[in-house]
Amino acid sequence: MKELFVYYARCNAEIDARMLTLLEERVDEPMKMPLSGYFFKTLGELLEHIYVANANWMSAFVGVADHGIDLTEVIGPLPKYGEKVFGSFAEYTAAQRRLDEVIVRYCEALTDEDLNAVLSRKRQNGETTSKVVWKALLHFFNHQTHHRGQVSCILDEMGIENDYSNMIFIE
């Protein structure tokens, strides 16, 4: 099962890199770009949500088994949902790439014991949820895929070709 999550992590990093490069090359000031018809009011809010969710989930995962990863050293203080985290797209890109590297390192270090451990996490509404780590990891990667799909739709609406997310062609 570990191989599955290593593959997800590596694909996640590659897909993020492709998406971020495309945004950098084709969208003026992505962090300020207004959105219409989406929960998030700007593309920057959507991108920051992806980052904040990733950071919070990784905090929970390293809380179960840290494998020598000091998340605070990589990302600084843990950001809160809805918080404005980045002043520029360049800051966001650098931080997301660092976090993607940590996700890969974490998945490469996973053991069967880690995957079958129970992770408890407090949700934004104060409720605590508990899941087996492997199920939480599936949710974690699916959440990112969902929001990158939104970015893909936004790019489609702008007439920007964006075939960056085909896992089958990675590795």
Side-chain angles (χ1 to χ4, degrees):
M1 189 178 323
K2 171 184 172 174
E3 293 82 4
L4 172 71
F5 294 109
V6 171
Y7 178 66
Y8 264 109
R10 290 178 182 166
C11 287
N12 175 71
E14 177 63 27
I15 291 166
D16 274 351
R18 291 175 183 183
M19 180 185 75
L20 295 172
T21 298
L22 184 61
L23 290 172
E24 181 179 41
E25 292 173 352
R26 301 294 308 272
V27 178
D28 291 330
E29 298 201 50
M31 300 306 275
K32 296 179 181 176
M33 188 182 117
L35 299 179
S36 178
Y38 290 86
F39 174 82
F40 299 100
K41 302 302 178 214
T42 66
L43 181 56
E45 286 179 17
L46 172 56
L47 295 173
E48 285 192 340
H49 172 74
I50 296 169
Y51 178 84
V52 171
N54 289 352
N56 277 270
W57 273 107
M58 283 309 299
S59 177
F61 292 132
V62 299
V64 171
D66 68 23
H67 297 291
I69 296 171
D70 181 347
L71 196 58
T72 304
E73 185 178 294
V74 177
I75 68 168
L78 190 63
K80 294 178 177 58
Y81 287 94
E83 179 178 80
K84 176 106 175 92
V85 182
F86 302 105
S88 70
F89 184 69
E91 286 176 22
Y92 169 78
T93 298
Q96 186 60 60
R97 288 185 172 157
R98 283 191 308 272
L99 187 53
D100 284 342
E101 289 172 10
V102 168
I103 294 166
V104 170
R105 275 186 27 223
Y106 180 79
C107 288
E108 289 174 343
L110 283 168
T111 66
D112 287 342
E113 185 178 309
D114 298 335
L115 289 166
N116 291 302
V118 175
L119 175 148
S120 292
R121 182 170 177 259
K122 191 171 275 199
R123 299 177 60 200
Q124 294 177 64
N125 65 7
E127 292 178 15
T128 299
T129 184
S130 296
K131 287 286 181 195
V132 176
V133 167
W134 71 263
K135 288 182 180 180
L137 278 166
L138 284 176
H139 168 78
F140 171 73
F141 287 116
N142 188 60
H143 179 262
Q144 295 175 65
T145 301
H146 162 71
H147 286 302
R148 282 192 301 255
Q150 288 180 309
V151 174
S152 179
C153 287
I154 292 162
L155 293 170
D156 285 345
E157 291 166 359
M158 297 172 69
I160 298 173
E161 191 174 324
N162 64 86
D163 191 19
Y164 55 78
S165 63
N166 283 314
M167 285 177 69
I168 198 70
F169 299 116
I170 299 175
E171 281 190 40

